[in-house]
Amino acid sequence: MAPDGSVYVVDYGNNRIQKFTSEGVFINKWDTDLFPNNIAIAYYGSVYVLTKQIEKFTSEGVFISQLGTLGPFDNQTDWPDAITVASDGSVYVADTSNARIQRFTSDGMLISKWSTCCSLQPELDSPVGDHPTGIAVAPDGSFYVADQKYHRIQKFSVEQ
C-alpha cells in the first residue's frame, strides 16, 4: 500500500502493474519489462518493480529509470526476489540469484552489499545466506533477511 492509500498489484502473468484505490476501484495499469515478481512503494511516491532487474516508475506508471543492469557484479542484479524502501529512501534488494543483499540510493547508486556468494565475489564473506528471498527494513534502519536455503530470518544493521 502506498502512503496515499493506493494499492498496487503485481500481475506476473500479464507483465504489468495495476493500481487501485484502497476501496478496490481500478485507477491505472502499466506494462513492465519482463515478469514482475515484487514491488515496493517509497514514501515519496516512486514505485520500484522487480523483474529480472529493478525498474523505477512514478506513481502513475511512467518509467523513470532502471537501477543497475543484469549480471553478477556491482550495480547488477539477476532475478531478485524481494525489495523494500527504507524511510531514508534507500532501496534494499534481495538479489537471490547472486546470493546477496544490495542497498542503493533512490537514484540507483550502489551504497553497500552483503553476500556469501564467494565464487563470484570472494571479498564478500558475510552471514547473509545463499538464497535471500525476502527483506524488510525496520524504522530504526535495521533490516531483516529471509534466507530460504537455511530456513531462517536474520537481523542486520546498516553499518554491516
Side-chain angles (χ1 to χ4, degrees), residues 2 29 56 123 134:
K29 66 180 177 181
K56 182 179 178 181
E123 74 279 5

Side-chain angles (χ1 to χ4, degrees), residues 81-94:
D81 275 344
I83 188 168
T84 191
V85 181
S87 60
D88 68 357
S90 297
V91 179
Y92 289 81
V93 178

Side-chain angles (χ1 to χ4, degrees), residues 92-112:
Y92 289 81
V93 178
D95 187 8
T96 307
S97 293
N98 288 324
R100 65 182 172 197
I101 302 300
Q102 294 191 79
R103 181 179 174 216
F104 298 92
T105 66
S106 61
D107 294 325
M109 299 297 297
L110 182 64
I111 299 171
S112 54

Side-chain angles (χ1 to χ4, degrees), residues 42 44 48-50 52-56 65-78 80 82-96 98 100-114 121 135 137 143 158:
Y44 48 85
Y48 295 89
V49 177
L50 292 183
K52 63 183 179 284
Q53 297 168 221
I54 309 161
E55 298 178 354
K56 182 179 178 181
S65 65
Q66 177 178 298
L67 280 66
T69 58
L70 180 63
F73 302 109
D74 287 355
N75 241 8
Q76 295 183 325
T77 57
D78 187 10
I83 188 168
T84 191
V85 181
S87 60
D88 68 357
S90 297
V91 179
Y92 289 81
V93 178
D95 187 8
T96 307
N98 288 324
R100 65 182 172 197
I101 302 300
Q102 294 191 79
R103 181 179 174 216
F104 298 92
T105 66
S106 61
D107 294 325
M109 299 297 297
L110 182 64
I111 299 171
S112 54
K113 58 192 172 189
W114 300 266
Q121 296 176 319
I135 191 162
V137 178
F143 62 100
V158 174

